[in-house]
Amino acid sequence: MNCNPPIGFIKKEAQTTGNSKEMALLNGSSKEADEQFPLLVSDAFASRIDWSNSSDPLLLQILPTAAELQTDPAFILDPLEEAGYSIAPGIIKKYHGRAILQLTGACPIHCRYCFRRHIKGDNIPKTLAQWDESLEVIRKDPSIVEIIYSGGDPLMLPNKKFLQISNLLGEIAHIKRLRIHSRVPVASPERISLDLIKSIGNLPFTVTMVIHMNHADEMDGFVEATIASLVDAGIPIYNQSVLLKGVNDNLESLTALSEALIQARVTPYYLHLLDPVAGAAHFLVDAKTGRQLLEEMRKVLPGFAIPLLVQEIPGELAKTPI
Ligand SMILES: *Cc1c(COP(=O)(O)O)cnc(C)c1O
Ligand code: SF4
């Protein structure tokens, strides 16, 4: 179950349950920031937060703070200019051979630094018939060989709908690969049933999953078990992270994250420099620091545990390595 209560409600809950530490922390959160992009945290993610630590790396990712209200002209509403690349409702094409499908606007948690935090997702198709119509642009374009499910979070869709849309894609002969970009295995692993994994494994294309984890504390036994089921079903898993000030901008955190990932059979893929989205400027780590951290990581980890440090530059045909 997800909780999406207003901050005032959580404060009251904390008061009645007598959790004074939690209350003190939530007193440090910002109502205005919450109104702009509401606090949303799954029970599973919340359970890994050390509520006695006001700079807990997981708490910082979900707590609305006054720092988000500072404006900076370089930090804008749609930093990746995605709006310009929509080719049909719910479909974005900005990379060669790949189309991004936004299956839903919903997420398991609201990550404060998210580059889509200001995007409402109003034009995402709702019914299967609307999807069928939108997919016509893909049927007509054989240059698209890979579909990337993005969001919001694609695994927030009910399983039935998720599979119905996937089956429509399965009927398109030129689609060879499906990639599922999701934070659900980390934030709400309970949503991923063995039935769903089996159905995904049976889809008529190669399926890969890219999860999103920024700190080793996001891993627990439940997440590990979910990942193990996916890998055992033949689905390779990669991870992308964002380099975030106060969360993972040090050698120890990044090394522990990579260790936790490869231990769980997840390959570290991208480490993104922050996208300049309005409200997230306080999370920025500069490219030079990022490069130095990666150099240090190379000295202590095997090569396959080192993610590629990248930045998304609008208008470029791929991520730019830093
Ligand atoms: C970069 C990016 C992709 C494509 O990822 P590649 O692994 O480089 O193909 C898809 N979706 C989003 C939102 C991205 O930023
Ligand atoms: S799209 Fe991903 S990064 Fe953004 S809020 Fe949702 S789960 Fe977090």
Side-chain angles (χ1 to χ4, degrees), residues 194-246:
L194 289 175
D195 271 354
L196 178 67
I197 294 172
K198 202 169 143 212
S199 305
I200 292 174
N202 285 336
L203 289 171
F205 17 57
T206 298
V207 182
T208 304
M209 195 175 282
V210 181
I211 62 171
H212 172 178
M213 186 182 281
N214 299 313
H215 193 281
D217 286 359
E218 288 169 58
M219 186 77 87
D220 67 6
F222 201 172
V223 174
E224 250 171 357
T226 303
I227 291 170
S229 305
L230 289 160
V231 176
D232 289 345
I235 303 166
I237 306 193
Y238 295 87
N239 181 64
Q240 52 181 343
S241 311
V242 183
L243 186 56
L244 297 166
K245 194 172 198 167

Side-chain angles (χ1 to χ4, degrees), residues 2-318:
N2 289 298
C3 51
N4 182 18
I7 287 172
F9 175 81
I10 297 191
K11 277 183 194 161
K12 217 164 144 207
E13 274 268 299
Q15 238 156 4
T16 50
T17 56
N19 188 338
S20 55
K21 280 176 185 164
E22 194 168 327
M23 205 170 74
L25 277 173
L26 289 160
N27 278 333
S29 61
S30 158
K31 190 162 169 283
E32 282 115 297
D34 179 58
E35 276 161 10
Q36 286 181 14
F37 186 45
L39 171 76
L40 176 68
V41 61
S42 60
D43 291 341
F45 197 86
S47 74
R48 295 170 218 140
I49 293 174
D50 172 6
W51 292 95
S52 68
N53 174 10
S54 62
S55 45
D56 179 273
L58 276 56
L59 180 68
L60 294 181
Q61 294 182 55
I62 55 108
L63 191 70
T65 62
E68 295 175 28
L69 306 172
Q70 291 162 12
T71 54
D72 180 328
F75 284 73
I76 56 180
L77 295 180
D78 179 14
L80 304 192
E81 297 170 11
E82 283 194 328
Y85 291 94
S86 176
I87 54 169
I91 306 180
I92 294 169
K93 180 157 191 282
K94 55 178 181 178
Y95 305 113
H96 179 79
R98 286 153 284 173
I100 297 172
L101 261 57
Q102 291 185 285
L103 293 196
T104 168
C107 291
I109 61 176
H110 280 171
C111 312
R112 308 313 298 174
Y113 53 84
C114 178
F115 73 89
R116 290 198 181 122
R117 56 175 285 164
H118 302 287
I119 294 168
K120 300 268 176 288
D122 298 334
N123 77 333
I124 296 174
K126 286 183 187 64
T127 66
L128 194 65
Q130 285 169 342
W131 269 115
D132 196 33
E133 202 180 316
S134 245
L135 292 182
E136 200 51 29
V137 290
I138 292 176
R139 291 189 190 100
K140 285 189 185 138
D141 185 351
S143 77
I144 299 172
V145 295
E146 176 167 350
I147 298 295
I148 301 172
Y149 282 172
S150 186
D153 197 305
L155 292 176
M156 292 302 284
L157 271 193
N159 292 352
K160 189 173 156 205
K161 184 105 168 280
F162 180 93
L163 293 168
Q164 281 172 330
I165 298 170
S166 303
N167 286 327
L168 284 179
L169 287 163
E171 290 164 12
I172 306 176
H174 56 267
I175 302 299
K176 295 197 179 107
R177 297 185 295 275
L178 172 66
R179 187 141 38 112
I180 304 169
H181 281 199
S182 177
R183 201 141 163 55
V184 163
V186 173
S188 291
E190 77 286 353
R191 291 187 68 94
I192 302 181
S193 64
L194 289 175
D195 271 354
L196 178 67
I197 294 172
K198 202 169 143 212
S199 305
I200 292 174
N202 285 336
L203 289 171
F205 17 57
T206 298
V207 182
T208 304
M209 195 175 282
V210 181
I211 62 171
H212 172 178
M213 186 182 281
N214 299 313
H215 193 281
D217 286 359
E218 288 169 58
M219 186 77 87
D220 67 6
F222 201 172
V223 174
E224 250 171 357
T226 303
I227 291 170
S229 305
L230 289 160
V231 176
D232 289 345
I235 303 166
I237 306 193
Y238 295 87
N239 181 64
Q240 52 181 343
S241 311
V242 183
L243 186 56
L244 297 166
K245 194 172 198 167
V247 173
N248 59 11
D249 60 331
N250 60 78
L251 180 63
E252 195 190 356
S253 296
L254 290 175
T255 306
L257 173 61
S258 271
E259 292 269 11
L261 289 168
I262 61 173
Q263 199 60 30
R265 294 183 282 167
V266 179
T267 306
Y269 182 31
Y270 285 146
L271 177 62
H272 297 263
L273 290 185
L274 183 73
D275 294 313
V277 66
H282 56 291
F283 283 118
L284 184 68
V285 179
D286 62 57
K288 186 168 168 245
T289 307
R291 248 185 245 119
Q292 281 168 350
L293 285 167
L294 267 279
E295 255 169 56
E296 294 299 313
M297 282 173 83
R298 272 184 214 105
K299 292 177 191 162
V300 293
L301 287 171
F304 77 103
I306 311 294
L308 190 63
L309 183 66
V310 293
Q311 183 165 26
E312 172 89 8
I313 300 174
E316 296 291 324
L317 284 174

